[in-house]
């Protein structure tokens, strides 16, 4: 697999790091898990419904914490 170098602000890095479920999960894994591949509004709606129903309590708490920080 090829890779790309991406620059992140400290704040963006810290937020992304908080989404890791364990030390073995890579940042690529986090991004692919959290950000669905969307092409149409219908796919977005379906992905949101699936994401909402599959969100663990821990992930929901992290999301609420991140939203409240900003």
């Amino acid at each position: 697999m090829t890779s790309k170098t991406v620059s992140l602000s400290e704040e963006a890095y810290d937020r992304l790091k908080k989404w890791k479920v364990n030390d073995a999960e890579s940042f690529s894994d986090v991004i692919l898990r959290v950000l669905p591949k969307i092409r149409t509004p219908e796919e977005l709606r379906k992905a949101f419904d699936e994401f909402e129903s599959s969100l663990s309590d821990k992930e929901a708490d992290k999301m609420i914490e991140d939203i409240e920080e900003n």
Side-chain angles (χ1 to χ4, degrees):
M1 174 173 60
T2 62
S3 63
K4 299 280 184 178
T5 300
V6 177
S7 296
L8 298 173
S9 67
E10 287 291 324
E11 181 181 1
Y13 173 84
D14 290 339
R15 286 187 191 188
L16 184 59
K17 188 174 178 182
K18 286 180 183 180
W19 277 90
K20 291 178 74 171
V21 294
N22 58 49
D23 290 336
E25 187 175 36
S26 70
F27 288 127
S28 290
D29 293 336
V30 174
I31 290 168
L32 292 173
R33 176 173 51 83
V34 174
L35 299 175
K37 185 177 182 180
I38 304 299
R39 291 193 174 95
T40 67
E42 292 79 21
E43 288 176 328
L44 177 60
R45 193 172 301 110
K46 181 180 177 185
F48 180 76
D49 290 342
E50 290 172 3
F51 177 74
E52 185 178 36
S53 65
S54 67
L55 195 62
S56 72
D57 289 342
K58 185 176 179 179
E59 290 171 321
D61 290 343
K62 282 183 185 181
M63 185 180 288
I64 290 168
E65 182 182 311
D66 287 346
I67 291 168
E68 289 174 346
E69 285 178 4
N70 294 308

